[in-house]
Amino acid sequence: MNLMNLESLKGSLNYLGFDAKINSQLEEKIANQEPSFRLQDTIIHFNKKVDFELHFKKSEIYDLYFFNKYDAILRQANKVDIANTFYLNKGKGVTATDAINLLIGRSIYRELINREQEKYHALLQLDFKENDWKLLNLRA
């Protein structure tokens, strides 16, 4: 088991706001050398329950695991659940709290990097008009 990779993944989970209780599950899955696996977490934020499914995949070449995306599902009583997949770049991206705010319908203000590697600030919001919700980048 690559301990530096494990600690890096734990750091990403912490940065993104997931519960530290899933660290032991992460360690177990990596120790078993599973080629890909998913971990679940639930966060209740201001009486809103959101279930998360975190996707991990092992490199085909190296002894490294990558955490590239997670699914977030806002559970709503008497309403249709709202779900979206959030993609990560090197363990960074939309945090769990940001995902909850987006699923509720709020926008978030983020610093992003364009293809030319230049930083810029933008408001992000989910487009609920489409059946397949996507993030809208409303440049600030």
Side-chain angles (χ1 to χ4, degrees):
M1 179 187 328
N2 185 330
L3 294 178
M4 286 180 53
N5 181 229
L6 177 63
E7 290 306 314
S8 175
L9 292 171
K10 287 180 180 179
S12 294
L13 291 173
N14 182 52
Y15 164 80
L16 293 167
F18 294 107
D19 197 324
K21 70 180 179 195
I22 62 176
N23 286 344
S24 60
Q25 297 170 30
L26 173 68
E27 198 167 329
E28 180 183 324
K29 299 282 189 183
I30 290 176
N32 291 337
Q33 295 287 310
E34 296 188 25
S36 66
F37 59 90
R38 297 174 185 184
L39 299 177
Q40 279 76 34
D41 195 10
T42 298
I43 296 176
I44 297 176
H45 184 72
F46 293 111
N47 297 322
K48 305 286 185 184
K49 180 183 176 191
V50 180
D51 292 327
F52 293 91
E53 186 170 72
L54 293 62
H55 300 258
F56 294 85
K57 186 170 179 159
K58 186 174 193 248
S59 168
E60 293 179 7
I61 301 169
Y62 303 106
D63 185 26
L64 297 173
Y65 281 85
F66 297 98
F67 176 30
N68 293 322
K69 69 178 179 176
Y70 66 87
D71 302 320
I73 304 166
L74 173 65
R75 304 290 182 191
Q76 303 187 100
N78 303 322
K79 291 184 183 178
V80 175
D81 292 342
I82 299 173
N84 198 62
T85 300
F86 295 94
Y87 292 90
L88 305 170
N89 183 13
K90 298 178 184 170
K92 303 286 185 200
V94 173
T95 65
T97 303
D98 288 342
I100 293 168
N101 283 320
L102 289 165
L103 292 172
I104 291 170
R106 297 181 181 137
S107 57
I108 60 170
Y109 185 71
R110 301 289 293 194
E111 180 178 88
L112 303 174
I113 299 174
N114 65 17
R115 289 184 180 159
E116 291 78 31
Q117 300 302 307
E118 300 167 333
K119 293 180 181 180
Y120 68 98
H121 292 90
L123 282 173
L124 302 177
Q125 186 175 26
L126 284 176
D127 181 3
F128 291 106
K129 295 176 185 157
E130 301 287 329
N131 286 339
D132 185 21
W133 299 308
K134 61 181 182 269
L135 276 175
L136 295 175
N137 184 342
L138 312 169
R139 287 207 178 219

